[in-house]
């Protein structure tokens, strides 16, 4: 319990950051067609392939897409502009470059080896383009465009914290592990869906993913929780002073996530 109390300020900080305007305004632009869906999906697929190749934590993809979406929403790009595809490719490569530089780690190796791995990955991005200087120039433009807010509250952050507070994590290690992996799987798919990201906050998406995973566990093993455990399910997330989720939004998001996972 003391460990959860220690983690509580971290969750509150994530939720407060999510409420800030810097991290909210770009979501409204995702539904405005600022980025053609086919391009955004290909960018997301490339991010996952690249990150998996270097065995980095997949949270880096969420960070990179956050940078990409926020930067694009602050610009006046048009799909039919001359060389617009090349511009989007540069923005996408730069977003991943920056996310890896600041956030990429692999839990299977030492920090020294992580540093070496990051350098290799950054070099592959930088020198895998015809004009490496374009990436470096765009990096500064992006940092200014993001107002130097480069530690966004990600879907993965919320998935990890919500699962950590869930009573299953204390009751059954195997079910607690499955809860987290199933929740994480859903949020990784959610990154592909701008309509989902535009409609719901990251905390709501992560919580809806957790509820879907929870439903599956209880359907297969209905006796896994005691009555006290069942009553504790809504705490501490829904009863937090800084997190007042609309239950109808959570249910709607659950349904959208289930369709994606089918």
């Amino acid at each position: 319990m003391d460990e959860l109390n220690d983690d509580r300020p971290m969750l509150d900080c994530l939720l407060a950051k999510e409420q800030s305007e810097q991290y909210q305004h770009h979501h409204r632009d995702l539904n405005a067609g600022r980025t053609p869906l086919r391009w955004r999906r290909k960018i997301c697929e490339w991010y996952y392939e690249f990150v998996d190749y270097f065995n980095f934590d997949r949270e880096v993809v969420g960070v990179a897409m956050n940078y990409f979406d926020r930067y694009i929403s602050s610009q006046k790009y048009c799909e039919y502009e001359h060389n617009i595809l090349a511009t989007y490719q540069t923005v996408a490569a730069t977003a991943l470059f920056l996310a890896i530089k600041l956030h990429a780690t692999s839990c299977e190796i030492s920090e020294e080896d992580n540093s070496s791995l990051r350098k290799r990955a950054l070099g592959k991005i930088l020198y895998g383009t015809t004009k490496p200087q374009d990436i470096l120039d765009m990096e500064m433009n992006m940092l200014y465009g993001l107002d130097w807010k480069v530690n966004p509250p990600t879907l993965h952050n919320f998935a990890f914290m919500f699962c950590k507070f869930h009573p299953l994590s204390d009751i059954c290690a195997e079910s607690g592990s499955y809860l987290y992996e199933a929740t994480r799987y859903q949020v990784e798919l959610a990154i592909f869906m701008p309509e989902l990201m535009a409609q719901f906050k990251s905390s709501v998406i992560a919580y809806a993913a957790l509820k879907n995973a929870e439903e599956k566990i209880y359907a297969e093993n209905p006796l896994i929780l005691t009555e006290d455990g069942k009553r504790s399910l809504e705490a501490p997330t829904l009863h937090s002073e800084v997190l007042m989720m609309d239950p109808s939004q959570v249910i709607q998001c659950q349904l959208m996530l289930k369709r994606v996972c089918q």
Side-chain angles (χ1 to χ4, degrees), residues 113-134:
D113 289 338
N114 264 308
S115 178
S116 175
L117 193 62
R118 279 193 295 271
K119 290 176 182 177
R120 284 176 50 209
L122 295 175
K124 187 172 180 65
I125 294 173
L126 196 61
Y127 297 106
T129 62
T130 55
K131 297 181 180 179
Q133 189 60 43
D134 287 352

mmCIF file of all heavy atoms in Angstrom, residues 113-134:
data_model
loop_
_atom_site.group_PDB
_atom_site.id
_atom_site.type_symbol
_atom_site.label_atom_id
_atom_site.label_comp_id
_atom_site.label_asym_id
_atom_site.label_seq_id
_atom_site.Cartn_x
_atom_site.Cartn_y
_atom_site.Cartn_z
ATOM 1 N N ASP A 113 24.867 0.127 -22.732
ATOM 2 C CA ASP A 113 24.481 -0.494 -23.998
ATOM 3 C C ASP A 113 23.282 0.227 -24.613
ATOM 4 O O ASP A 113 23.171 0.324 -25.843
ATOM 5 C CB ASP A 113 24.152 -1.969 -23.794
ATOM 6 C CG ASP A 113 25.384 -2.805 -23.504
ATOM 7 O OD1 ASP A 113 26.486 -2.363 -23.863
ATOM 8 O OD2 ASP A 113 25.236 -3.887 -22.892
ATOM 9 N N ASN A 114 22.378 0.736 -23.766
ATOM 10 C CA ASN A 114 21.251 1.518 -24.270
ATOM 11 C C ASN A 114 21.726 2.769 -24.987
ATOM 12 O O ASN A 114 21.201 3.143 -26.031
ATOM 13 C CB ASN A 114 20.320 1.920 -23.115
ATOM 14 C CG ASN A 114 19.140 0.981 -22.952
ATOM 15 O OD1 ASN A 114 18.425 0.712 -23.912
ATOM 16 N ND2 ASN A 114 18.935 0.476 -21.745
ATOM 17 N N SER A 115 22.732 3.406 -24.414
ATOM 18 C CA SER A 115 23.287 4.617 -25.029
ATOM 19 C C SER A 115 23.867 4.306 -26.405
ATOM 20 O O SER A 115 23.644 5.047 -27.368
ATOM 21 C CB SER A 115 24.368 5.206 -24.120
ATOM 22 O OG SER A 115 24.954 6.343 -24.710
ATOM 23 N N SER A 116 24.582 3.188 -26.498
ATOM 24 C CA SER A 116 25.153 2.778 -27.780
ATOM 25 C C SER A 116 24.054 2.445 -28.783
ATOM 26 O O SER A 116 24.142 2.802 -29.974
ATOM 27 C CB SER A 116 26.064 1.571 -27.566
ATOM 28 O OG SER A 116 26.549 1.077 -28.787
ATOM 29 N N LEU A 117 23.001 1.775 -28.307
ATOM 30 C CA LEU A 117 21.893 1.390 -29.185
ATOM 31 C C LEU A 117 21.153 2.622 -29.705
ATOM 32 O O LEU A 117 20.768 2.694 -30.874
ATOM 33 C CB LEU A 117 20.930 0.466 -28.428
ATOM 34 C CG LEU A 117 19.885 -0.291 -29.260
ATOM 35 C CD1 LEU A 117 20.558 -1.227 -30.249
ATOM 36 C CD2 LEU A 117 18.952 -1.080 -28.339
ATOM 37 N N ARG A 118 20.962 3.601 -28.820
ATOM 38 C CA ARG A 118 20.304 4.852 -29.254
ATOM 39 C C ARG A 118 21.118 5.545 -30.339
ATOM 40 O O ARG A 118 20.565 6.056 -31.319
ATOM 41 C CB ARG A 118 20.109 5.791 -28.059
ATOM 42 C CG ARG A 118 18.898 5.475 -27.204
ATOM 43 C CD ARG A 118 18.580 6.614 -26.255
ATOM 44 N NE ARG A 118 19.641 6.815 -25.284
ATOM 45 C CZ ARG A 118 19.710 6.194 -24.099
ATOM 46 N NH1 ARG A 118 18.775 5.332 -23.762
ATOM 47 N NH2 ARG A 118 20.692 6.447 -23.262
ATOM 48 N N LYS A 119 22.430 5.567 -30.175
ATOM 49 C CA LYS A 119 23.289 6.212 -31.181
ATOM 50 C C LYS A 119 23.165 5.519 -32.531
ATOM 51 O O LYS A 119 23.108 6.176 -33.578
ATOM 52 C CB LYS A 119 24.746 6.193 -30.713
ATOM 53 C CG LYS A 119 25.015 7.127 -29.535
ATOM 54 C CD LYS A 119 26.457 7.007 -29.054
ATOM 55 C CE LYS A 119 26.709 7.898 -27.855
ATOM 56 N NZ LYS A 119 28.095 7.754 -27.328
ATOM 57 N N ARG A 120 23.132 4.185 -32.506
ATOM 58 C CA ARG A 120 22.966 3.435 -33.759
ATOM 59 C C ARG A 120 21.628 3.749 -34.418
ATOM 60 O O ARG A 120 21.538 3.948 -35.636
ATOM 61 C CB ARG A 120 23.061 1.937 -33.483
ATOM 62 C CG ARG A 120 24.462 1.401 -33.249
ATOM 63 C CD ARG A 120 24.426 -0.080 -32.890
ATOM 64 N NE ARG A 120 23.614 -0.834 -33.837
ATOM 65 C CZ ARG A 120 22.954 -1.942 -33.517
ATOM 66 N NH1 ARG A 120 23.000 -2.407 -32.273
ATOM 67 N NH2 ARG A 120 22.262 -2.590 -34.432
ATOM 68 N N ALA A 121 20.578 3.792 -33.610
ATOM 69 C CA ALA A 121 19.243 4.069 -34.151
ATOM 70 C C ALA A 121 19.158 5.485 -34.710
ATOM 71 O O ALA A 121 18.603 5.703 -35.796
ATOM 72 C CB ALA A 121 18.191 3.871 -33.057
ATOM 73 N N LEU A 122 19.719 6.446 -33.982
ATOM 74 C CA LEU A 122 19.693 7.835 -34.449
ATOM 75 C C LEU A 122 20.484 7.982 -35.746
ATOM 76 O O LEU A 122 20.079 8.701 -36.657
ATOM 77 C CB LEU A 122 20.251 8.765 -33.366
ATOM 78 C CG LEU A 122 19.446 8.852 -32.069
ATOM 79 C CD1 LEU A 122 20.170 9.697 -31.032
ATOM 80 C CD2 LEU A 122 18.058 9.423 -32.341
ATOM 81 N N GLY A 123 21.616 7.287 -35.826
ATOM 82 C CA GLY A 123 22.416 7.331 -37.047
ATOM 83 C C GLY A 123 21.668 6.732 -38.220
ATOM 84 O O GLY A 123 21.763 7.236 -39.348
ATOM 85 N N LYS A 124 20.918 5.665 -37.974
ATOM 86 C CA LYS A 124 20.156 5.021 -39.052
ATOM 87 C C LYS A 124 19.083 5.955 -39.594
ATOM 88 O O LYS A 124 18.833 6.003 -40.793
ATOM 89 C CB LYS A 124 19.527 3.721 -38.538
ATOM 90 C CG LYS A 124 18.853 2.885 -39.635
ATOM 91 C CD LYS A 124 18.415 1.541 -39.112
ATOM 92 C CE LYS A 124 17.749 0.688 -40.197
ATOM 93 N NZ LYS A 124 18.669 0.336 -41.274
ATOM 94 N N ILE A 125 18.430 6.705 -38.679
ATOM 95 C CA ILE A 125 17.415 7.670 -39.129
ATOM 96 C C ILE A 125 18.077 8.808 -39.890
ATOM 97 O O ILE A 125 17.652 9.186 -40.988
ATOM 98 C CB ILE A 125 16.625 8.235 -37.925
ATOM 99 C CG1 ILE A 125 15.801 7.137 -37.253
ATOM 100 C CG2 ILE A 125 15.700 9.372 -38.385
ATOM 101 C CD1 ILE A 125 15.135 7.589 -35.967
ATOM 102 N N LEU A 126 19.144 9.338 -39.297
ATOM 103 C CA LEU A 126 19.781 10.527 -39.860
ATOM 104 C C LEU A 126 20.393 10.252 -41.228
ATOM 105 O O LEU A 126 20.182 11.016 -42.183
ATOM 106 C CB LEU A 126 20.853 11.021 -38.891
ATOM 107 C CG LEU A 126 21.383 12.436 -39.103
ATOM 108 C CD1 LEU A 126 20.275 13.453 -38.961
ATOM 109 C CD2 LEU A 126 22.493 12.733 -38.095
ATOM 110 N N TYR A 127 21.113 9.162 -41.349
ATOM 111 C CA TYR A 127 21.819 8.886 -42.594
ATOM 112 C C TYR A 127 21.047 7.950 -43.507
ATOM 113 O O TYR A 127 21.556 7.543 -44.555
ATOM 114 C CB TYR A 127 23.219 8.337 -42.279
ATOM 115 C CG TYR A 127 24.049 9.348 -41.538
ATOM 116 C CD1 TYR A 127 24.300 9.198 -40.175
ATOM 117 C CD2 TYR A 127 24.514 10.494 -42.181
ATOM 118 C CE1 TYR A 127 25.026 10.153 -39.475
ATOM 119 C CE2 TYR A 127 25.242 11.456 -41.488
ATOM 120 C CZ TYR A 127 25.494 11.280 -40.142
ATOM 121 O OH TYR A 127 26.208 12.236 -39.459
ATOM 122 N N GLY A 128 19.804 7.649 -43.109
ATOM 123 C CA GLY A 128 18.922 6.905 -44.008
ATOM 124 C C GLY A 128 18.122 7.822 -44.908
ATOM 125 O O GLY A 128 17.294 7.369 -45.699
ATOM 126 N N THR A 129 18.374 9.128 -44.791
ATOM 127 C CA THR A 129 17.705 10.116 -45.635
ATOM 128 C C THR A 129 18.712 10.722 -46.605
ATOM 129 O O THR A 129 19.923 10.665 -46.383
ATOM 130 C CB THR A 129 17.093 11.249 -44.780
ATOM 131 O OG1 THR A 129 18.154 11.924 -44.086
ATOM 132 C CG2 THR A 129 16.111 10.692 -43.767
ATOM 133 N N THR A 130 18.190 11.299 -47.664
ATOM 134 C CA THR A 130 19.081 11.903 -48.662
ATOM 135 C C THR A 130 19.685 13.210 -48.164
ATOM 136 O O THR A 130 20.765 13.595 -48.590
ATOM 137 C CB THR A 130 18.306 12.177 -49.969
ATOM 138 O OG1 THR A 130 17.154 12.980 -49.671
ATOM 139 C CG2 THR A 130 17.878 10.866 -50.607
ATOM 140 N N LYS A 131 18.993 13.867 -47.201
ATOM 141 C CA LYS A 131 19.477 15.152 -46.680
ATOM 142 C C LYS A 131 19.428 15.132 -45.153
ATOM 143 O O LYS A 131 18.462 15.605 -44.542
ATOM 144 C CB LYS A 131 18.639 16.308 -47.220
ATOM 145 C CG LYS A 131 18.709 16.481 -48.732
ATOM 146 C CD LYS A 131 17.862 17.653 -49.183
ATOM 147 C CE LYS A 131 17.922 17.840 -50.682
ATOM 148 N NZ LYS A 131 17.064 18.979 -51.139
ATOM 149 N N PRO A 132 20.458 14.582 -44.499
ATOM 150 C CA PRO A 132 20.477 14.516 -43.037
ATOM 151 C C PRO A 132 20.277 15.874 -42.368
ATOM 152 O O PRO A 132 19.683 15.959 -41.292
ATOM 153 C CB PRO A 132 21.870 13.948 -42.727
ATOM 154 C CG PRO A 132 22.238 13.175 -43.947
ATOM 155 C CD PRO A 132 21.653 13.944 -45.094
ATOM 156 N N GLN A 133 20.756 16.938 -43.003
ATOM 157 C CA GLN A 133 20.631 18.270 -42.411
ATOM 158 C C GLN A 133 19.169 18.677 -42.258
ATOM 159 O O GLN A 133 18.818 19.433 -41.360
ATOM 160 C CB GLN A 133 21.376 19.304 -43.264
ATOM 161 C CG GLN A 133 21.485 20.678 -42.607
ATOM 162 C CD GLN A 133 22.222 20.650 -41.277
ATOM 163 O OE1 GLN A 133 23.249 19.977 -41.151
ATOM 164 N NE2 GLN A 133 21.692 21.345 -40.280
ATOM 165 N N ASP A 134 18.301 18.141 -43.142
ATOM 166 C CA ASP A 134 16.867 18.454 -43.035
ATOM 167 C C ASP A 134 16.301 17.965 -41.703
ATOM 168 O O ASP A 134 15.451 18.625 -41.098
ATOM 169 C CB ASP A 134 16.089 17.805 -44.184
ATOM 170 C CG ASP A 134 16.335 18.499 -45.516
ATOM 171 O OD1 ASP A 134 16.975 19.568 -45.519
ATOM 172 O OD2 ASP A 134 15.888 17.961 -46.552
#
